Amino acid sequence: MAQADELIRLANGVLWPGFLGNDVPSWLSDALEDGLAGVVYFAQNLDGDTAALSAEIHRLAPHALIGIDEEGGSVTRLETATGSTVPGAAQLGALDDVEATRATGYEIGRRVDRIGADVVIGPVADVNTDPRNPVIGARAFGSDTALVSRHVVAAVQGIQAAGVAACAKHYPGHGDTHTDSHQDLPRLELTEAEIEGAHLPPFTAAVRAGVRAIMTAHIIAPHWGDAPATLNPAVLGRLREDGFDGVIITDALDMSAIREHVGIGGGAVQALAAGADLLCIGNPTNPGAAMLPDQDEQDYLAARDAIVAALRSGELSRERVEQAAARVAAMSDAVRSRPAVPEVPFDAGAIADRAVRVDGSFAAFRDAPTTVLDLRRPSSLAVDSAAAHVALALAAGGKIVRLDAAAAADAEIADAVRAATAGGPDAQRVILVDRIDAGAPQRTVLERIRSMLPADIAAQAVVVNVGLPAGVASSDAAGPAITSSAASLLAARAARRALLNPNR
């Protein structure tokens, strides 16, 4: 029994689960008191007094690391209900001002520190070289390796200047895939030289900048074997060879790329054997309607019990898990000793305004209600692409018509055109998109809508793109366009200001 308790405590030291609700459930309280490495916050944990929740977790386990995905831009946990008021990576990359990125990193770190959390699961260090990428896109600083590298360094420096740990993600780079690892297991169809040259440098830069943690990607790089990076000793060994001695954190083990292939338990054991140190288990609400009432505890136990069984059988060496737990404990010690974090002036709106791009010409909008045709992609587990706050900010009290461009029938498109035509030529109209590169469904539907509108109305209907900037040809076909590069409240407000003053 004593050995069993000892192995459970050892396993707990490398586990990072999510949990349900905004109070500490009994199973989590027990696990924290028995050496659990910490927890990861998701939006569903943050609708109460989060600072008090963090204080309770740290009372139960002073060593516990509390992590949170807080990237700014399109991905936020702290401001899920209202939309982020912090610039996102694509906005910062478009601006290419490393001091703005460093200041943004500090602001994110300060906000995370203020709620009592310890680890920012960011910045995104992926180089988004595939414009079809459904899961990275505007979460990346850009498609240029050097640009991404310098902004990753600035973000890491800013976040860690606030006393919390940064975690660069998703090693060895999730930017050249067109499959979402939340849904399937992507393959990185690049040569080793292409990965080394284009996708690893931002992680190397983060290591040189002193990043405390790096998160893995659930992607297969065939020349390194058939196992996804999270479970692949060749990939994680490459990171160690690059000089990184911090904490290697897995992406969530409940994602389909792992859960549907080896299971949470199998993923936990294989990730540790491959060289990972801290196992992010995931968000227990992800199963949606299939979620069990105790999904959080079940997912945690699946990982913990598999590790304990592997330790007992010898499949997993005790030395490897002790090494992992020691790295996690060292990061905890580093963030525990952080001083009070001062608030410094930070003008997010000015950064967002500078990052806005205006293509084409149009008459300045009046400060009055605007009809918005929303063609954006549906939200995913990773990104709230279709967040209502974006359309609401642009509409300013006007009508919003939602249309799924990938599935829109002819009748739905005709209805959207009728809605856009209402009010005559003097009405204000915005067409909201997040992907209008050539061949994308939104581009096709956008062009159809423009062709069906009366010429005078079509000429003054302005596209607002909250995704990646489109090429010049795509922008010309779209008509006048504003690119704000984030599905956030901050970016939407910046786009609205550009509508009112396009020649600013």
Side-chain angles (χ1 to χ4, degrees):
M1 184 65 176
Q3 185 188 24
D5 290 345
E6 184 182 0
L7 293 180
I8 286 173
R9 188 169 186 85
L10 179 58
N12 276 343
V14 297
L15 292 177
W16 219 22
F19 64 98
L20 296 170
N22 53 26
D23 294 307
V24 179
S26 59
W27 71 265
L28 180 56
S29 176
D30 292 342
L32 286 165
E33 291 180 333
D34 204 11
L36 188 69
V39 299
V40 178
Y41 283 158
F42 295 93
Q44 48 94 12
N45 301 123
L46 306 181
D47 58 359
D49 186 340
T50 306
L53 174 62
S54 300
E56 175 61 9
I57 289 170
H58 285 140
R59 183 191 69 78
L60 290 165
H63 67 275
L65 288 165
I66 300 173
I68 185 168
D69 271 305
E70 194 62 29
E71 300 174 12
S74 301
V75 176
T76 178
R77 303 291 180 259
L78 294 175
E79 298 181 290
T80 297
T82 59
S84 178
T85 56
V86 175
Q91 293 171 280
L92 294 165
L95 185 58
D96 197 14
D97 177 348
V98 292
E99 290 307 318
T101 299
R102 188 174 290 109
T104 299
Y106 182 85
E107 177 65 11
I108 289 172
R110 187 191 67 79
R111 293 184 184 196
V112 167
D113 173 78
R114 188 173 60 191
I115 64 159
D118 310 293
V119 182
V120 174
I121 307 176
V124 170
D126 304 311
V127 182
N128 196 77
T129 49
D130 189 338
R132 301 169 297 170
N133 197 317
V135 69
I136 303 301
R139 298 169 64 196
F141 288 108
S143 58
D144 178 80
T145 301
L147 179 145
V148 173
S149 296
R150 62 179 171 265
H151 285 277
V152 165
V153 168
V156 166
Q157 291 171 338
I159 290 167
Q160 295 192 167
V164 296
C167 174
K169 58 189 183 186
H170 307 81
Y171 190 87
H174 209 312
D176 203 87
T177 65
H178 55 272
T179 302
D180 184 349
S181 50
H182 292 82
Q183 308 296 339
D184 206 344
L185 183 54
R187 295 177 68 87
L188 198 59
E189 301 292 356
L190 299 173
T191 67
E192 185 171 5
E194 287 171 327
I195 296 174
E196 294 271 356
H199 295 277
L200 294 187
F203 294 97
T204 300
V207 171
R208 303 293 180 266
V211 71
R212 296 196 183 279
I214 291 178
M215 177 170 275
T216 64
H218 302 329
I219 57 173
I220 293 174
H223 57 271
W224 281 325
D226 292 330
T230 298
L231 314 181
N232 192 324
V235 177
L236 302 192
R238 171 67 180 76
L239 180 54
R240 293 300 184 200
E241 290 169 6
D242 204 22
F244 182 62
D245 195 39
V247 176
I248 296 178
I249 302 176
T250 70
D251 208 344
L253 298 179
D254 70 344
M255 292 163 61
S256 290
I258 301 297
R259 185 195 282 270
E260 300 302 322
H261 290 80
V262 297
I264 289 177
V269 172
Q270 292 180 41
L272 285 167
D277 303 306
L278 184 58
L279 311 181
C280 175
I281 296 175
N283 184 351
T285 68
N286 281 348
M291 182 186 75
L292 301 171
D294 60 346
Q295 188 74 53
D296 51 356
E297 183 178 10
Q298 292 297 321
D299 289 351
Y300 155 70
L301 289 174
R304 189 201 72 180
D305 292 351
I307 294 169
V308 170
L311 286 167
R312 283 189 182 133
S313 70
E315 178 187 358
L316 193 57
S317 78
R318 184 180 182 119
E319 291 74 19
R320 168 77 272 271
V321 183
E322 287 174 341
Q323 178 192 54
R327 286 199 180 105
V328 174
M331 185 165 75
S332 174
D333 289 343
V335 299
R336 281 290 80 72
S337 59
R338 64 184 186 255
V341 178
E343 184 170 358
V344 299
F346 178 68
D347 192 343
I351 293 173
D353 286 342
R354 291 166 59 205
V356 164
R357 184 177 109 182
V358 178
D359 291 302
S361 60
F362 57 91
F365 278 36
R366 304 178 308 281
D367 190 7
T370 300
T371 297
V372 175
L373 303 186
D374 186 354
L375 309 185
R376 292 174 297 163
R377 290 169 290 181
S379 296
S380 68
L381 292 176
V383 183
D384 190 8
S385 311
H389 49 258
V390 177
L392 289 168
L394 291 170
K399 185 174 183 178
I400 299 171
V401 180
R402 177 82 177 115
L403 190 65
D404 183 352
D410 289 347
E412 293 174 293
I413 296 174
D415 287 343
V417 170
R418 279 192 289 274
T421 307
D426 292 333
Q428 302 182 145
R429 300 165 184 88
V430 159
I431 305 174
L432 177 58
V433 300
D434 62 5
R435 184 181 167 193
I436 53 170
D437 51 298
Q442 291 175 54
R443 166 81 176 276
T444 302
V445 172
L446 170 61
E447 291 177 353
R448 284 192 63 190
I449 289 173
R450 281 201 177 281
S451 70
M452 295 166 70
L453 287 171
D456 55 344
I457 292 177
Q460 289 302 311
V462 179
V463 169
V464 172
N465 177 17
V466 296
L468 296 175
V472 173
S474 295
S475 296
D476 289 347
I482 292 170
T483 301
S484 61
S485 298
S488 70
L489 181 61
L490 179 75
R493 287 173 172 169
R496 178 73 186 177
R497 287 191 291 271
L499 288 168
L500 300 177
N501 185 14
N503 300 314
R504 67 199 191 291

